[in-house]
Amino acid sequence: MKKTLVIAQGDIAKIFLDSILDKYFSNDYYIVISKDMCFIPEKIPSSFEFHTFDYTSSFRISQVYNEEIYNIFLVLDDESEILATYEILRELNKKTRIVTSLALEKHTQAMKDDKNLIVLNQRQIIANKFIERLPNVPLIPRSFGLGQGEIMEVGVPSGSIFAYRHIGSIQQRKWRIVGVYRRGELLLSSHSVVIQPNDSLLIVGDPKMLNDVYMQIKSDIGQFPAPFGRDIFLYVDMSLSNEHRIYNDVQNALFLNEKLKNNKLFIHILKPSNFDLLDKIRALESKSVEVRVDYTNASFRERIAKDSQKRFGLVIINQDIFASRRNRRALFELSIPVMKTGWEHIDECKKSFVVLSENMANTENVASVVFDISKQLNLEVDVYDYDTDGSYHNEIMQSYEELSRIYERKLNTIQTDSKNPISYIQDSFTPYLCFVPFERNIAKTKTFAFTSTDVHKIASMNNKNPQIFIPLPQKQGS
């Protein structure tokens, strides 16, 4: 029979032992050693045995100790007695798990090296209890797991950048959303679950990473490129694009780097050939802009595959790179936001433009990204609702109207059954920033795409306006 040894003395030990006797006496067999008779109850359960003697005596402890003991709780109020008793116990067995409480500065070297010793820090435990009661602080379970903050519960405020996003659309590296608490129920995490304001997220992962995630969840609206990532990456290929187009791409990227709440802009030059232009771009380097030149003759797909471990917030490319089906597929598989530059500069855009379709019913994250970026760039939002039968997408529109109020953006609705959105935007004199759901069919070949009935696939061929392709939640196993 496996047994637990409890060596107890002091007020904390009395509370600890009373709790075991009251609630957990039948769960295990306990051997209790104390100097004080008050620890012995009037009625001793059959799963307990009590001994009263000086536990700092190695001879006395050796008479009680046996190989069936696999857990030892050293609950003493005298630190010198803890140290003395610990040494005696380790002489008897070096592998048995010992749990005790001792100030960090009192630890001996043997204790620091002991992998089977768990030392509770009373001062830290009390401090944590105070911290947990501060406003806007995540709940971190300390009584199970490692107790280091690797498990966290975080409430989602109404203006959070996580609100109205699919779990599958949020980049989760070194951490995961494992559950959502909503109105007294636990929803197990899946890619298709949409996070709502006032939800509480159960997240697990690297404690340092979770602290960053907590700050992101609590961040106000207008935080893009979070939660996808932190940085903007511009890729230009000198073997594909002329000097004018490349420099325009750089200017577009610099504008977004100034306006969006990213950490840094990385400009990647592939297959360098125009060294005057290269020097011109390098002269733009600053604390927030870094230029990297790839002399290995690597293709865009090879380069972005190497960079894929980084926290992409937004990738910027031009139509020359986007034209390749393989490049589009590589971007689609990364499930990150992608901006394709257009003939019009993004700093000239006055409005955002998004086309509604039937398959956008479950893509709330598209809408939240549209409004997030629009708020940061101070753009109105035009929503184009086109249906030849006049069956407009009123339910989807309701979510856009709600977000327009949250983000304080003017929303303009265009409902028509006659003019398709591609013709509308091509004929428009309004400089638009277009938003397109990054669907799988966009990553496929463009041959005969102009005959497609999919408005988003056709829209991806638009080179007039800058476009931001927003990743959709990937189905598990796809």
Side-chain angles (χ1 to χ4, degrees):
M1 177 189 295
K2 291 184 177 180
K3 299 177 180 179
T4 296
L5 173 62
V6 178
I7 301 178
Q9 191 68 34
D11 294 339
I12 294 175
K14 187 71 168 65
I15 296 170
F16 174 64
L17 193 57
D18 286 347
S19 296
I20 298 174
L21 288 164
D22 182 45
K23 298 177 181 178
Y24 309 110
F25 65 88
S26 62
N27 292 5
D28 211 335
Y29 188 89
Y30 293 91
I31 301 172
V32 181
I33 301 174
S34 179
K35 293 180 180 179
D36 197 332
M37 292 290 292
C38 74
F39 282 85
I40 303 176
E42 292 183 6
K43 294 182 179 180
I44 300 176
S46 59
S47 56
F48 277 76
E49 63 177 81
F50 285 83
H51 301 270
T52 306
F53 59 75
D54 181 3
Y55 37 74
T56 60
S57 167
S58 58
F59 172 76
R60 290 294 188 91
I61 288 185
S62 66
Q63 299 302 301
V64 175
Y65 187 86
N66 61 66
E67 294 301 322
E68 292 181 332
I69 294 173
Y70 73 105
N71 266 320
I72 300 174
F73 286 82
L74 202 53
V75 192
L76 304 174
D77 53 5
D78 188 315
E79 291 181 338
S80 61
E81 289 188 347
I82 292 173
L83 294 170
T85 310
Y86 166 78
E87 291 181 5
I88 294 169
L89 293 169
R90 275 294 172 248
E91 288 178 3
L92 294 171
N93 192 310
K94 297 188 182 299
K95 294 184 178 180
T96 304
R97 189 181 77 148
I98 298 177
V99 181
T100 191
S101 173
L102 188 66
L104 185 63
E105 62 271 14
K106 299 290 185 177
H107 292 193
T108 64
Q109 189 59 48
M111 285 181 159
K112 294 176 182 178
D113 297 337
D114 192 341
K115 294 182 179 180
N116 296 311
L117 174 67
I118 298 173
V119 182
L120 308 178
N121 188 324
Q122 287 188 37
R123 286 176 287 185
Q124 186 64 54
I125 291 170
I126 294 171
N128 288 337
K129 290 299 180 183
F130 279 108
I131 290 170
E132 287 173 4
R133 284 157 177 78
L134 287 172
N136 296 319
V137 168
L139 295 175
I140 301 174
R142 305 283 181 180
S143 58
F144 61 88
L146 300 176
Q148 298 174 356
E150 78 282 0
I151 304 171
M152 190 179 288
E153 181 185 335
V154 187
V156 181
S158 59
S160 171
I161 59 175
F162 276 62
Y164 303 107
R165 294 188 187 274
H166 285 89
I167 288 176
S169 74
I170 299 171
Q171 191 177 57
Q172 300 168 59
R173 290 180 178 169
K174 295 186 178 180
W175 71 281
R176 290 288 184 273
I177 300 172
V178 297
V180 179
Y181 293 107
R182 180 178 299 163
R183 293 189 290 274
E185 294 184 6
L186 171 64
L187 306 178
L188 294 178
S189 175
S190 73
H191 280 51
S192 60
V193 170
V194 177
I195 299 170
Q196 301 290 343
N198 301 316
D199 284 349
S200 287
L201 305 184
L202 184 62
I203 58 178
V204 299
D206 178 79
K208 292 182 180 178
M209 183 64 69
L210 291 191
N211 285 331
D212 291 341
V213 174
Y214 168 77
M215 296 304 296
Q216 290 180 20
I217 295 173
K218 292 297 185 181
S219 294
D220 293 333
I221 54 178
Q223 297 292 322
F224 184 88
F228 296 99
R230 294 181 172 183
D231 300 312
I232 297 176
F233 290 76
L234 167 66
Y235 292 88
V236 294
D237 188 332
M238 286 190 171
S239 70
L240 294 177
S241 306
N242 60 39
E243 179 176 346
H244 177 72
R245 179 167 292 173
I246 289 174
Y247 201 71
N248 282 346
D249 293 342
V250 172
Q251 294 302 312
N252 280 317
L254 290 172
F255 174 78
L256 290 178
N257 185 53
E258 179 185 348
K259 296 295 183 179
L260 298 180
K261 293 184 180 177
N262 59 294
N263 279 358
K264 200 167 186 178
L265 166 64
F266 293 91
I267 301 175
H268 288 265
I269 311 295
L270 306 180
K271 300 178 182 178
S273 56
N274 186 334
F275 293 99
D276 289 337
L277 176 59
L278 190 58
D279 290 340
K280 194 175 180 181
I281 295 173
R282 275 178 164 162
L284 299 170
E285 283 196 303
S286 65
K287 288 183 178 180
S288 65
V289 179
E290 184 174 326
V291 178
R292 295 179 177 178
V293 184
D294 191 326
Y295 292 102
T296 66
N297 205 37
S299 67
F300 170 74
R301 293 189 306 281
E302 292 169 336
R303 181 68 261 169
I304 204 165
K306 290 181 180 179
D307 294 340
S308 62
Q309 296 304 311
K310 299 171 183 175
R311 296 190 67 184
F312 287 123
L314 175 67
V315 169
I316 303 175
I317 56 173
N318 60 31
Q319 62 197 60
D320 298 327
I321 293 176
F322 194 80
S324 165
R325 176 180 59 85
R326 291 183 177 180
N327 290 344
R328 295 197 305 276
R329 181 184 293 176
L331 291 166
F332 175 81
E333 295 297 335
L334 287 174
S335 192
I336 54 176
V338 176
M339 175 181 162
K340 176 165 70 76
T341 58
W343 302 329
E344 294 180 344
H345 286 222
I346 193 168
D347 61 345
E348 297 172 347
C349 293
K350 303 301 181 185
K351 293 183 177 182
S352 296
F353 186 86
V354 61
V355 181
L356 298 188
S357 66
E358 198 61 44
N359 56 0
M360 289 181 70
N362 296 313
T363 56
E364 290 87 347
N365 56 300
V366 172
S368 61
V369 172
V370 170
F371 281 98
D372 192 318
I373 295 175
S374 298
K375 183 175 181 65
Q376 293 188 66
L377 301 185
N378 195 28
L379 305 176
E380 295 181 13
V381 179
D382 281 8
V383 177
Y384 201 89
D385 192 359
Y386 168 71
D387 193 288
T388 55
D389 298 326
S391 301
Y392 300 121
H393 308 90
N394 294 322
E395 289 187 10
I396 304 175
M397 274 305 308
Q398 288 178 3
S399 66
Y400 276 78
E401 290 168 357
E402 175 65 23
L403 286 171
S404 73
R405 289 190 289 271
I406 293 173
Y407 284 84
E408 298 179 334
R409 291 293 91 199
K410 183 179 180 181
L411 178 67
N412 308 301
T413 305
I414 306 163
Q415 290 186 324
T416 179
D417 58 3
S418 56
K419 192 168 188 177
N420 76 62
I422 311 306
S423 299
Y424 174 86
I425 201 167
Q426 291 290 349
D427 296 341
S428 174
F429 291 102
T430 301
Y432 277 119
L433 170 60
C434 298
F435 291 86
V436 183
F438 204 163
E439 298 172 326
R440 183 175 293 277
N441 57 4
I442 292 175
K444 297 178 181 178
T445 180
K446 284 191 174 181
T447 306
F448 305 119
F450 58 87
T451 64
S452 172
T453 58
D454 188 327
V455 292
H456 297 137
K457 187 172 184 179
I458 301 171
S460 68
M461 300 174 64
N462 170 25
N463 292 323
K464 173 188 174 185
N465 305 90
Q467 295 176 301
I468 294 181
F469 294 84
I470 304 169
L472 302 179
Q474 300 293 308
K475 294 181 180 178
Q476 291 171 314
S478 66

